[in-house]
């Protein structure tokens, strides 16, 4: 199975105004689509549409990541569990996006006197 992930496809729509204030629109954080082999092959080699391709060895490799707090990308590469192609710097952007979203949605510390 091939899954296409598009992170922050419309950055200007990431936050939306709600009656209780500004909040993150979860549908604008990441969009996904399942692709056929032919669609994936065609898209994979289009640098205008795909910055990074991540290939996992098998389904077990993907399932092994679920619930893990810390992912060792170098270890996964050395163990041939995952292969990366393209601009690997985008992998670090994913972490930054996640950290920024966590900051935004965490409630502020209220001090009651």
């Amino acid at each position: 199975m091939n899954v296409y992930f598009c992170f922050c496809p419309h950055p200007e729509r990431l936050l939306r105004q709600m009656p209780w204030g500004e909040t993150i629109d979860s549908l604008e954080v990441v969009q996904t689509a399942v692709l056929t082999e032919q669609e994936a092959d065609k898209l994979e080699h289009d640098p205008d549409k795909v910055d990074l391709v991540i290939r996992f060895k098998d389904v077990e490799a993907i399932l092994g990541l679920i619930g893990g707090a810390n992912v060792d990308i170098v270890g996964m590469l050395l163990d041939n569990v995952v292969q990366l192609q393209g601009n690997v710097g985008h992998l670090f952007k994913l972490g930054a996006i996640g950290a920024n979203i966590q900051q935004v949605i965490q409630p502020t510390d209220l001090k009651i006197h």
Side-chain angles (χ1 to χ4, degrees):
M1 177 172 61
N2 300 286
V3 180
Y4 175 72
F5 289 89
C6 185
F7 293 93
C8 293
H10 309 102
E12 69 282 358
R13 292 191 236 161
L14 186 59
L15 298 174
R16 72 186 231 196
Q17 193 63 39
M18 299 298 284
W20 55 86
E22 197 171 57
T23 186
I24 291 178
D25 184 348
S26 61
L27 298 176
E28 292 297 333
V29 174
V30 63
Q31 291 179 350
T32 62
V34 176
L35 305 177
T36 65
E37 288 296 324
Q38 295 80 15
E39 291 170 324
D41 288 342
K42 182 179 176 185
L43 189 61
E44 181 178 321
H45 300 290
D46 187 345
D48 292 331
K49 294 187 180 177
V50 176
D51 295 314
L52 177 65
V53 175
I54 303 172
R55 288 190 186 88
F56 289 90
K57 180 179 176 181
D58 51 25
V59 174
E60 288 78 25
I62 297 169
L63 294 175
L65 295 174
I66 296 174
N70 297 311
V71 176
D72 179 11
I73 297 296
V74 174
M76 292 174 66
L77 288 166
L78 292 173
D79 293 337
N80 200 27
V81 173
V82 67
Q83 294 177 346
L84 305 176
Q85 174 186 339
N87 187 342
V88 180
H90 287 287
L91 194 59
F92 301 107
K93 287 182 183 179
L94 301 181
I97 291 169
N100 287 341
I101 289 173
Q102 281 181 334
Q103 273 185 333
V104 170
I105 63 175
Q106 283 180 348
T108 57
D109 293 331
L110 298 176
K111 294 182 180 178
I112 301 173
H113 297 275

